[in-house]
Amino acid sequence: MAAAISSAPDHVIVVASNGHPAPQEILVAMEERMHKTTERIQSHVAMMQTRIHRFPRGLRGIGGEDDRYIAPSVVAIGPYHHGLPHLQDMEEVKHAAAHRFCGDAELQPKEVYERILSLAGDARHCYATDDAAVARLSDAELAAMMFLDGCFLLQYMAHSDDAMFAGCNMSSGQAILKDMMMLENQVPWMVLDALTEFLPVDVRHQFVADIGDKFFPKEKDPGWMAWFQMSLMKCRRRRHVPAPAERGGGEESLGQCQSQCQSTISYRPAHLLGLLRFCQLQSMPGEVRSYQAGSSSLLSSSAVELAQIGVKLTASTAEWLGDMSLRKRLVLGELSLSPLFLNDVTACWLVNMAALEACAAWDLDGFVVSSYLSVVALLMDRKEDVHELRSKGVLRSLFSNTQTLAFFKDLGRHLRLGGRYIVVLEQIEAYKRNRPVRIAAHRFLYKNYRIIATVLSVAGVVIGIFKALLALKAHDKTM
C-alpha cells in the first residue's frame, strides 16, 4: 500500500504502510536535506567570484573549432588539463623555469615548494572539488603542480624571450599567451601572490596591462600626436588611475581618482583571466557604471542599416574595452564603440572573459564584455556590415570578413545580454523615435544617392549646353 498525503490545507499527513518510514522520519530526513542543500548553495554562491570554473556547458558553442578556445594547445596550467599527452613537452620547460626561478630568488626549491604546500588546502577549494581532475591529486601533488605552473608563468612574464621558452612559440608564435588566459587553464591568484613574495614580478601593472593593449588596433604609421596619445593612454592603464582632467578637475575628481586607485590596489582577482578583465574595465567612469537599464524591443539594426538612418560609426578613444554610446549630433547621430583588434589570441581571450562573466557575474551590470560583444554582433548581418565596421576604424581583424561575421554571430547566439547592451539599444530606439523626418530624408538620400548624383550630373551637362547655346546666340547678335 503506497503512502498517501491528505488534502487538508493546513497540514500534511503522511499515511505509511507497514515497512515504510514513519511520517516523523520522513520529515526529519527532508529537513536535514533542505538544510544541507541550502548550505551547499550558499557556499557555492560565496565562491562564485573566487572559483576557477569549468567552461559553461551552455556556452561551448562559442569555444571555436575543436574547442580551441576552451582547451590549451601548448601548456596546461592548473589541474583541469594536467597530464594531457599533447601538452607534455611543456612540462620539461616548467621544471627548467622553476629551477631558474629558485636560482634568481636565491632559494632552495624546498623552501618555495613548502610555501605553496601550505596553501594547497585553500587552493583546492578554488576548483570544483568534485571534479575528477582535482580529486585524483593529493595535496602534495597539487602543490607540486601549482609550484611548477606558477614558476613557469612568472618566468614567462619576466623573461619570455629566454631560450628556454623557444618551444612555447609554436605555430602562431603566441600560443602560450592564448593558453594562459583560458578559463579552465588557471592557478589561484594566491599561488602567484605567494611566489612573488620570493621574487617580485609586476604582474598587474606591467604584464597584464601590456597584453591588454593587444585588444586595441595599432596604427601602421601614426603621427607624433597619435603616438603621444597612445603612449599616454597606455601609461594610464598601467597606473590604473584616470587623469583628473578627464573627470572635470577639482577636489571631487581627485577623490574619485584616489578611491579608484585604492580599489585597484586592494582588488584580489581569482586568477590571471579575472585580472585581465578587471584591467580592461576598471577605468570605466562611475556615471557609466551607474546607468539604469530598462527594456528594449529592438531586434536588429546592422551597421549598414544604421548608416541608412544617419548614425555614423566611430572608434571610441576611451581607455577601457567595451565603451559604447550613441550621441545625437545637430543633423546626424554617432555611435561610438571601443576599437577592437581581432586575431586568434584576442578572440580566445574575449570568449573566455565572456565565459567568466557567465560563471561569476551577480547581475546585469557584470556582463560588460558580453554586452560589448553582443552589440558588435548586432551590427553584423552580412559581410558588408563587417566592411563598414572596418572602414570606420571600429574593427581591425586578421580574419576574413566571412570568418569575422561567423565569429560574432556565434557569440551573439549564446551570450547573456547585459545592461550595457540594453542601454545602447534604448539609445538607438530613442534616436529612431525622435527623428523620423530626418531619418526618412537621410534613408532616401542614402539609398538613391547614385541616381541623384547621375541626375545632377546630367542636369549639369544640360545646363552647360543651354549656357553654351545662349552664349552662341548672343555672339551671333553682336556680329
Side-chain angles (χ1 to χ4, degrees), residues 183-228:
L183 181 64
E184 293 188 356
N185 216 38
Q186 302 292 323
V187 292
W189 179 257
M190 68 179 75
V191 173
L192 297 180
D193 210 21
L195 289 174
T196 54
E197 294 173 3
F198 299 113
L199 188 65
V201 176
D202 192 352
V203 180
R204 292 172 181 257
H205 303 151
Q206 185 67 44
F207 178 76
V208 172
D210 280 347
I211 66 170
D213 287 335
K214 295 182 183 294
F215 284 118
F216 299 92
K218 303 296 187 295
E219 297 294 335
K220 292 182 179 179
D221 185 24
W224 71 269
M225 181 59 73
W227 175 87
F228 175 76

Side-chain angles (χ1 to χ4, degrees), residues 308-324:
Q308 290 177 0
I309 64 174
V311 176
K312 177 184 177 183
L313 290 174
T314 62
S316 169
T317 59
E319 300 170 15
W320 63 92
L321 176 69
D323 179 46
M324 47 190 183

